[in-house]
Amino acid sequence: RTRQASLVDHFIQPNPGCDFALAMAIAWTVLEDPPQPHPQTYCDHYEAFGKMVRARSQQEWADIAGVRLSQVK
């Protein structure tokens, strides 16, 4: 762990080079429960983004990132 890790509420350390997989795992959570209703009305390419996120299960993205599923939910 780094000094910066002691300064945050939640620290998630993905495998090196796996930031994208971590982002996709977190995006699963956001897509399941959007912070605002009807995101497709104000987010460009929302449908395509959803397809990209769901190309793998949330567990698969978490496994690739090297994090526990509970860390991204």
Coordinates of all heavy atoms in Angstrom, one line a residue:
R1 N 0.8 -1.2 0.0 CA 0.0 0.0 0.0 C 0.9 1.2 0.0 O 2.0 1.2 0.5 CB -0.9 0.0 1.2 CG -2.0 -1.1 1.1 CD -2.9 -1.1 2.3 NE -3.6 0.2 2.5 CZ -4.9 0.3 2.4 NH1 -5.7 -0.7 2.1 NH2 -5.5 1.5 2.6
T2 N 0.3 2.3 -0.5 CA 1.0 3.6 -0.6 C 0.6 4.5 0.5 O -0.5 4.3 1.1 CB 0.8 4.2 -2.0 OG1 -0.6 4.5 -2.1 CG2 1.2 3.2 -3.1
R3 N 1.3 5.6 0.6 CA 0.9 6.6 1.6 C -0.5 7.2 1.2 O -1.3 7.5 2.1 CB 1.9 7.7 1.7 CG 1.6 8.8 2.7 CD 2.7 9.9 2.8 NE 2.6 10.8 1.7 CZ 1.7 11.8 1.5 NH1 0.8 12.0 2.5 NH2 1.8 12.6 0.5
Q4 N -0.7 7.4 -0.1 CA -2.0 7.9 -0.6 C -3.1 7.0 -0.2 O -4.2 7.5 0.1 CB -1.9 8.1 -2.1 CG -1.0 9.3 -2.5 CD 0.4 8.8 -2.7 OE1 0.8 7.7 -2.4 NE2 1.3 9.7 -3.2
A5 N -2.9 5.7 -0.2 CA -4.0 4.8 0.2 C -4.5 5.0 1.6 O -5.6 4.7 1.9 CB -3.4 3.3 0.0
S6 N -3.6 5.5 2.5 CA -4.1 5.7 3.8 C -4.9 7.0 3.9 O -5.6 7.2 5.0 CB -2.9 5.9 4.8 OG -2.1 7.0 4.4
L7 N -5.0 7.8 2.9 CA -5.8 9.0 2.9 C -7.2 8.9 2.3 O -8.0 9.8 2.4 CB -5.0 10.1 2.1 CG -3.6 10.4 2.6 CD1 -2.9 11.3 1.6 CD2 -3.6 10.9 4.0
V8 N -7.6 7.7 1.8 CA -8.9 7.6 1.2 C -9.8 6.6 1.9 O -9.3 5.9 2.8 CB -8.7 7.0 -0.3 CG1 -7.8 8.0 -1.1 CG2 -8.0 5.6 -0.3
D9 N -11.1 6.7 1.6 CA -12.1 5.9 2.3 C -12.0 4.5 1.7 O -12.2 3.5 2.5 CB -13.5 6.4 2.1 CG -13.7 7.7 2.9 OD1 -13.0 7.9 3.9 OD2 -14.5 8.6 2.4
H10 N -11.8 4.3 0.4 CA -11.8 3.0 -0.2 C -10.6 3.0 -1.1 O -10.3 3.9 -1.9 CB -13.1 2.8 -1.1 CG -14.3 2.8 -0.3 ND1 -14.7 1.8 0.5 CD2 -15.2 3.8 -0.2 CE1 -15.8 2.1 1.1 NE2 -16.2 3.4 0.7
F11 N -9.8 1.9 -1.0 CA -8.6 1.7 -1.8 C -8.8 0.4 -2.6 O -9.0 -0.6 -2.0 CB -7.4 1.7 -0.9 CG -6.1 1.4 -1.7 CD1 -5.6 2.4 -2.5 CD2 -5.5 0.2 -1.7 CE1 -4.4 2.2 -3.2 CE2 -4.3 -0.1 -2.4 CZ -3.8 0.9 -3.1
I12 N -8.7 0.5 -3.9 CA -8.8 -0.7 -4.8 C -7.6 -0.7 -5.6 O -7.3 0.3 -6.3 CB -10.1 -0.6 -5.7 CG1 -11.3 -0.6 -4.8 CG2 -10.1 -1.8 -6.6 CD1 -12.6 -0.4 -5.6
Q13 N -6.8 -1.7 -5.6 CA -5.6 -1.8 -6.4 C -5.8 -2.9 -7.4 O -5.6 -4.1 -7.1 CB -4.4 -2.1 -5.5 CG -3.1 -2.1 -6.3 CD -1.9 -2.1 -5.3 OE1 -2.1 -2.2 -4.1 NE2 -0.7 -2.1 -5.9
P14 N -6.1 -2.6 -8.7 CA -6.2 -3.6 -9.7 C -4.8 -4.1 -10.1 O -3.8 -3.5 -9.8 CB -6.9 -2.8 -10.9 CG -6.4 -1.4 -10.7 CD -6.3 -1.2 -9.2
N15 N -4.9 -5.2 -10.9 CA -3.6 -5.7 -11.5 C -3.1 -4.6 -12.4 O -3.8 -3.8 -13.0 CB -3.9 -7.0 -12.3 CG -4.3 -8.2 -11.4 OD1 -3.9 -8.3 -10.3 ND2 -5.1 -9.1 -12.0
P16 N -1.7 -4.6 -12.5 CA -1.1 -3.6 -13.4 C -1.7 -3.7 -14.8 O -1.9 -4.8 -15.4 CB 0.4 -4.0 -13.5 CG 0.6 -4.8 -12.2 CD -0.7 -5.5 -11.9
G17 N -2.1 -2.6 -15.4 CA -2.6 -2.6 -16.8 C -4.1 -3.0 -16.9 O -4.6 -3.1 -18.0
C18 N -4.7 -3.1 -15.7 CA -6.1 -3.6 -15.7 C -7.1 -2.5 -15.3 O -8.2 -2.8 -14.8 CB -6.3 -4.8 -14.9 SG -5.4 -6.2 -15.6
D19 N -6.8 -1.3 -15.4 CA -7.7 -0.2 -15.0 C -9.0 -0.2 -15.8 O -10.1 0.0 -15.3 CB -7.0 1.2 -15.3 CG -5.8 1.4 -14.4 OD1 -5.4 0.5 -13.7 OD2 -5.3 2.5 -14.4
F20 N -8.9 -0.6 -17.1 CA -10.1 -0.6 -17.9 C -11.0 -1.7 -17.4 O -12.2 -1.5 -17.3 CB -9.7 -0.9 -19.4 CG -10.9 -1.1 -20.3 CD1 -11.6 0.1 -20.8 CD2 -11.4 -2.3 -20.7 CE1 -12.7 -0.1 -21.6 CE2 -12.5 -2.4 -21.5 CZ -13.1 -1.3 -22.0
A21 N -10.5 -2.9 -17.1 CA -11.4 -4.0 -16.5 C -12.0 -3.5 -15.2 O -13.2 -3.8 -15.0 CB -10.5 -5.2 -16.3
L22 N -11.3 -2.8 -14.4 CA -11.9 -2.3 -13.2 C -13.0 -1.3 -13.5 O -14.1 -1.4 -12.9 CB -10.8 -1.6 -12.3 CG -11.3 -0.9 -11.0 CD1 -11.9 -1.9 -10.1 CD2 -10.1 -0.2 -10.4
A23 N -12.8 -0.4 -14.4 CA -13.8 0.5 -14.8 C -15.1 -0.2 -15.3 O -16.2 0.2 -15.0 CB -13.3 1.5 -15.9
M24 N -14.9 -1.2 -16.1 CA -16.0 -2.0 -16.6 C -16.8 -2.7 -15.5 O -18.0 -2.7 -15.5 CB -15.6 -3.0 -17.7 CG -15.0 -2.4 -19.0 SD -16.2 -1.4 -19.9 CE -15.7 0.3 -19.4
A25 N -16.1 -3.2 -14.5 CA -16.7 -3.9 -13.4 C -17.6 -2.9 -12.6 O -18.7 -3.1 -12.2 CB -15.7 -4.5 -12.5
I26 N -17.0 -1.7 -12.4 CA -17.7 -0.6 -11.7 C -18.9 -0.1 -12.5 O -20.0 0.1 -12.0 CB -16.8 0.5 -11.3 CG1 -15.8 0.0 -10.3 CG2 -17.6 1.7 -10.8 CD1 -14.7 1.0 -10.0
A27 N -18.7 0.0 -13.9 CA -19.8 0.4 -14.8 C -21.0 -0.5 -14.7 O -22.1 -0.1 -14.8 CB -19.3 0.5 -16.2
W28 N -20.8 -1.8 -14.5 CA -21.9 -2.8 -14.3 C -22.8 -2.3 -13.2 O -24.0 -2.3 -13.3 CB -21.4 -4.1 -13.9 CG -21.4 -5.1 -15.0 CD1 -20.4 -5.5 -15.9 CD2 -22.5 -6.0 -15.4 NE1 -20.8 -6.4 -16.7 CE2 -22.1 -6.7 -16.5 CE3 -23.8 -6.1 -14.9 CZ2 -22.9 -7.7 -17.1 CZ3 -24.6 -7.0 -15.6 CH2 -24.2 -7.8 -16.6
T29 N -22.2 -1.9 -12.1 CA -23.0 -1.4 -10.9 C -23.8 -0.1 -11.3 O -25.0 0.0 -11.0 CB -22.1 -1.1 -9.7 OG1 -21.4 -2.3 -9.4 CG2 -22.9 -0.6 -8.5
V30 N -23.2 0.8 -12.0 CA -23.9 2.0 -12.4 C -25.0 1.7 -13.4 O -26.1 2.3 -13.3 CB -22.8 3.0 -13.0 CG1 -23.5 4.3 -13.5 CG2 -21.8 3.4 -12.0
L31 N -24.8 0.8 -14.3 CA -25.8 0.5 -15.3 C -27.0 -0.2 -14.7 O -28.1 0.0 -15.1 CB -25.2 -0.4 -16.4 CG -24.2 0.3 -17.4 CD1 -23.7 -0.7 -18.4 CD2 -24.9 1.4 -18.1
E32 N -26.7 -1.0 -13.6 CA -27.8 -1.7 -13.0 C -28.7 -0.7 -12.2 O -29.9 -0.9 -12.0 CB -27.3 -2.8 -12.0 CG -26.7 -4.0 -12.7 CD -26.1 -5.0 -11.8 OE1 -25.9 -4.7 -10.6 OE2 -26.0 -6.1 -12.2
D33 N -28.1 0.3 -11.7 CA -28.8 1.3 -10.9 C -28.4 2.7 -11.2 O -27.6 3.3 -10.5 CB -28.6 1.0 -9.4 CG -29.5 1.9 -8.5 OD1 -30.5 2.4 -9.0 OD2 -29.2 2.0 -7.3
P34 N -28.8 3.3 -12.3 CA -28.3 4.6 -12.8 C -28.6 5.7 -11.7 O -29.7 5.6 -11.1 CB -29.1 4.9 -14.1 CG -29.6 3.5 -14.5 CD -29.8 2.7 -13.3
P35 N -27.7 6.6 -11.6 CA -27.9 7.6 -10.6 C -29.0 8.6 -10.9 O -29.6 9.3 -10.0 CB -26.5 8.4 -10.5 CG -25.9 8.0 -11.8 CD -26.4 6.7 -12.2
Q36 N -29.4 8.7 -12.2 CA -30.5 9.5 -12.6 C -31.4 8.7 -13.6 O -30.8 7.8 -14.3 CB -30.0 10.8 -13.3 CG -29.3 11.7 -12.4 CD -28.9 13.0 -13.0 OE1 -29.4 13.3 -14.1 NE2 -28.0 13.7 -12.4
P37 N -32.6 8.9 -13.7 CA -33.5 8.2 -14.6 C -33.2 8.5 -16.1 O -32.8 9.6 -16.4 CB -34.9 8.6 -14.2 CG -34.7 9.9 -13.5 CD -33.4 9.9 -12.9
H38 N -33.4 7.5 -16.9 CA -33.3 7.6 -18.3 C -32.0 8.2 -18.8 O -32.0 9.1 -19.6 CB -34.5 8.4 -18.9 CG -35.8 8.1 -18.3 ND1 -36.4 6.9 -18.6 CD2 -36.7 8.7 -17.5 CE1 -37.6 6.8 -18.0 NE2 -37.8 7.9 -17.3
P39 N -30.9 7.5 -18.5 CA -29.6 8.1 -18.9 C -29.4 8.1 -20.4 O -28.6 8.9 -20.9 CB -28.6 7.1 -18.2 CG -29.3 5.9 -17.9 CD -30.7 6.3 -17.7
Q40 N -30.1 7.2 -21.1 CA -29.9 7.2 -22.6 C -30.4 8.5 -23.2 O -30.0 8.8 -24.3 CB -30.7 6.0 -23.2 CG -32.1 6.0 -23.0 CD -32.6 5.4 -21.6 OE1 -31.8 5.3 -20.7 NE2 -33.9 5.1 -21.5
T41 N -31.2 9.3 -22.5 CA -31.7 10.6 -23.1 C -30.6 11.7 -23.0 O -30.7 12.7 -23.7 CB -32.9 11.1 -22.3 OG1 -32.6 11.3 -21.0 CG2 -34.1 10.1 -22.5
Y42 N -29.6 11.6 -22.2 CA -28.5 12.6 -22.1 C -27.1 12.1 -22.2 O -26.2 12.8 -22.1 CB -28.7 13.4 -20.8 CG -28.8 12.6 -19.5 CD1 -27.6 12.2 -18.9 CD2 -30.0 12.2 -19.0 CE1 -27.6 11.4 -17.8 CE2 -30.0 11.4 -17.8 CZ -28.9 11.0 -17.2 OH -28.9 10.3 -16.1
C43 N -26.9 10.8 -22.4 CA -25.6 10.2 -22.5 C -25.5 9.7 -24.0 O -26.2 8.8 -24.4 CB -25.4 9.0 -21.6 SG -25.4 9.5 -19.9
D44 N -24.5 10.3 -24.7 CA -24.3 9.8 -26.0 C -23.7 8.4 -26.0 O -23.0 8.0 -25.1 CB -23.2 10.7 -26.7 CG -23.7 12.1 -27.0 OD1 -25.0 12.3 -27.1 OD2 -22.9 13.0 -27.1
H45 N -24.2 7.6 -26.9 CA -23.7 6.2 -27.1 C -24.0 5.3 -25.9 O -23.2 4.4 -25.7 CB -22.2 6.2 -27.5 CG -21.9 7.2 -28.6 ND1 -22.3 7.0 -29.9 CD2 -21.2 8.3 -28.6 CE1 -21.9 8.0 -30.6 NE2 -21.2 8.8 -29.8
Y46 N -25.0 5.6 -25.2 CA -25.3 4.8 -24.0 C -25.6 3.4 -24.3 O -25.1 2.5 -23.6 CB -26.6 5.4 -23.3 CG -27.0 4.7 -22.0 CD1 -26.3 5.0 -20.8 CD2 -28.0 3.8 -22.0 CE1 -26.6 4.3 -19.7 CE2 -28.4 3.2 -20.8 CZ -27.7 3.4 -19.7 OH -28.0 2.8 -18.5
E47 N -26.3 3.1 -25.3 CA -26.6 1.7 -25.7 C -25.3 0.9 -26.0 O -25.1 -0.2 -25.6 CB -27.6 1.6 -26.8 CG -28.9 2.4 -26.6 CD -29.7 1.9 -25.4 OE1 -29.6 0.7 -25.1 OE2 -30.3 2.7 -24.8
A48 N -24.4 1.6 -26.8 CA -23.2 0.9 -27.2 C -22.3 0.7 -26.0 O -21.6 -0.3 -25.9 CB -22.5 1.8 -28.3
F49 N -22.3 1.7 -25.1 CA -21.5 1.5 -23.9 C -22.0 0.4 -23.1 O -21.2 -0.4 -22.5 CB -21.5 2.8 -23.1 CG -20.7 2.7 -21.8 CD1 -19.3 2.7 -21.8 CD2 -21.4 2.7 -20.6 CE1 -18.6 2.6 -20.6 CE2 -20.7 2.6 -19.4 CZ -19.3 2.6 -19.4
G50 N -23.3 0.3 -22.9 CA -23.9 -0.8 -22.2 C -23.5 -2.2 -22.8 O -23.2 -3.1 -22.0
K51 N -23.5 -2.3 -24.1 CA -23.1 -3.5 -24.8 C -21.7 -3.9 -24.5 O -21.3 -5.0 -24.3 CB -23.4 -3.5 -26.3 CG -24.8 -3.5 -26.6 CD -25.0 -3.5 -28.2 CE -26.4 -3.5 -28.5 NZ -26.6 -3.4 -30.0
M52 N -20.8 -2.8 -24.5 CA -19.4 -3.1 -24.2 C -19.2 -3.6 -22.8 O -18.5 -4.5 -22.5 CB -18.6 -1.8 -24.4 CG -17.1 -1.9 -24.2 SD -16.2 -0.4 -24.6 CE -16.9 0.8 -23.5
V53 N -19.9 -2.9 -21.8 CA -19.8 -3.3 -20.4 C -20.3 -4.7 -20.2 O -19.6 -5.6 -19.6 CB -20.6 -2.3 -19.5 CG1 -20.7 -2.9 -18.1 CG2 -19.9 -1.0 -19.5
R54 N -21.4 -5.1 -20.9 CA -22.0 -6.4 -20.7 C -21.4 -7.5 -21.6 O -21.9 -8.6 -21.6 CB -23.5 -6.3 -20.9 CG -24.1 -5.5 -19.7 CD -25.6 -5.5 -19.8 NE -26.2 -4.8 -18.7 CZ -26.7 -3.5 -18.7 NH1 -26.7 -2.9 -19.8 NH2 -27.2 -3.0 -17.6
A55 N -20.3 -7.2 -22.3 CA -19.6 -8.2 -23.1 C -19.1 -9.3 -22.2 O -18.8 -10.4 -22.7 CB -18.5 -7.5 -23.9
R56 N -18.8 -8.9 -21.0 CA -18.4 -9.9 -20.0 C -19.3 -9.7 -18.7 O -19.8 -8.6 -18.5 CB -16.9 -9.7 -19.6 CG -16.0 -9.9 -20.7 CD -14.5 -9.6 -20.2 NE -13.6 -9.6 -21.3 CZ -12.9 -10.7 -21.7 NH1 -13.0 -11.8 -21.0 NH2 -12.0 -10.6 -22.7
S57 N -19.3 -10.7 -17.9 CA -20.1 -10.5 -16.6 C -19.3 -9.6 -15.7 O -18.0 -9.4 -15.9 CB -20.3 -11.9 -16.0 OG -19.1 -12.4 -15.4
Q58 N -19.9 -9.1 -14.7 CA -19.2 -8.3 -13.7 C -18.2 -9.0 -13.0 O -17.1 -8.5 -12.7 CB -20.3 -7.7 -12.7 CG -19.7 -6.6 -11.9 CD -20.7 -6.0 -11.0 OE1 -21.6 -6.6 -10.5 NE2 -20.5 -4.7 -10.7
Q59 N -18.4 -10.3 -12.7 CA -17.4 -11.1 -12.1 C -16.2 -11.3 -13.0 O -15.1 -11.3 -12.5 CB -18.0 -12.5 -11.7 CG -17.0 -13.4 -11.0 CD -16.6 -12.9 -9.6 OE1 -17.5 -12.8 -8.8 NE2 -15.4 -12.6 -9.4
E60 N -16.4 -11.5 -14.3 CA -15.3 -11.7 -15.2 C -14.4 -10.4 -15.2 O -13.2 -10.5 -15.2 CB -15.8 -12.0 -16.6 CG -16.3 -13.4 -16.8 CD -16.9 -13.6 -18.1 OE1 -17.8 -12.8 -18.6 OE2 -16.6 -14.6 -18.7
W61 N -15.1 -9.2 -15.3 CA -14.3 -8.0 -15.3 C -13.5 -7.9 -14.0 O -12.3 -7.5 -14.0 CB -15.2 -6.8 -15.5 CG -15.7 -6.5 -16.8 CD1 -17.0 -6.5 -17.2 CD2 -15.0 -6.3 -18.0 NE1 -17.1 -6.2 -18.6 CE2 -15.9 -6.1 -19.1 CE3 -13.6 -6.3 -18.3 CZ2 -15.5 -5.9 -20.4 CZ3 -13.2 -6.0 -19.7 CH2 -14.2 -5.8 -20.7
A62 N -14.1 -8.2 -12.9 CA -13.4 -8.1 -11.6 C -12.2 -9.1 -11.5 O -11.2 -8.7 -11.0 CB -14.4 -8.4 -10.4
D63 N -12.4 -10.3 -12.0 CA -11.4 -11.3 -12.1 C -10.2 -10.8 -12.9 O -9.0 -10.9 -12.5 CB -11.8 -12.6 -12.6 CG -12.8 -13.3 -11.7 OD1 -12.8 -13.0 -10.5 OD2 -13.5 -14.3 -12.1
I64 N -10.5 -10.2 -14.1 CA -9.4 -9.6 -14.9 C -8.7 -8.5 -14.2 O -7.4 -8.5 -14.2 CB -10.0 -9.1 -16.3 CG1 -10.5 -10.3 -17.1 CG2 -8.9 -8.3 -17.0 CD1 -11.4 -9.8 -18.3
A65 N -9.4 -7.7 -13.5 CA -8.8 -6.6 -12.8 C -8.0 -7.1 -11.5 O -7.2 -6.4 -11.0 CB -9.9 -5.6 -12.3
G66 N -8.4 -8.3 -11.1 CA -7.7 -8.8 -9.9 C -8.2 -8.3 -8.6 O -7.5 -8.1 -7.6
V67 N -9.5 -7.9 -8.6 CA -10.2 -7.4 -7.4 C -11.4 -8.3 -7.0 O -11.9 -9.1 -7.9 CB -10.6 -6.0 -7.6 CG1 -9.5 -5.1 -7.9 CG2 -11.7 -5.8 -8.7
R68 N -11.8 -8.2 -5.8 CA -13.0 -8.9 -5.4 C -14.3 -8.2 -5.9 O -14.3 -7.0 -6.0 CB -13.1 -9.0 -3.9 CG -12.0 -9.9 -3.3 CD -12.1 -10.0 -1.8 NE -12.4 -8.8 -1.0 CZ -11.5 -7.9 -0.6 NH1 -10.2 -8.2 -0.9 NH2 -11.8 -6.8 0.0
L69 N -15.3 -9.0 -6.2 CA -16.5 -8.4 -6.7 C -17.1 -7.4 -5.7 O -17.7 -6.4 -6.1 CB -17.5 -9.5 -7.1 CG -18.8 -9.1 -7.8 CD1 -18.5 -8.3 -9.1 CD2 -19.7 -10.3 -8.1
S70 N -17.0 -7.8 -4.5 CA -17.6 -6.9 -3.4 C -16.9 -5.5 -3.4 O -17.5 -4.5 -2.9 CB -17.4 -7.5 -2.0 OG -16.0 -7.7 -1.7
Q71 N -15.7 -5.4 -3.9 CA -15.0 -4.1 -4.0 C -15.6 -3.2 -5.1 O -15.4 -2.0 -5.0 CB -13.5 -4.3 -4.3 CG -12.8 -4.9 -3.1 CD -11.3 -5.1 -3.5 OE1 -11.0 -6.0 -4.2 NE2 -10.5 -4.2 -3.0
V72 N -16.3 -3.7 -6.0 CA -16.8 -2.9 -7.1 C -18.3 -2.7 -7.1 O -18.9 -2.0 -7.9 CB -16.4 -3.4 -8.5 CG1 -14.9 -3.4 -8.7 CG2 -17.0 -4.8 -8.7
K73 N -19.0 -3.3 -6.1 CA -20.4 -3.1 -6.0 C -20.7 -2.0 -5.0 O -20.0 -1.7 -4.1 CB -21.1 -4.4 -5.5 CG -21.1 -5.4 -6.6 CD -22.1 -6.5 -6.2 CE -22.3 -7.4 -7.5 NZ -23.5 -8.1 -7.5

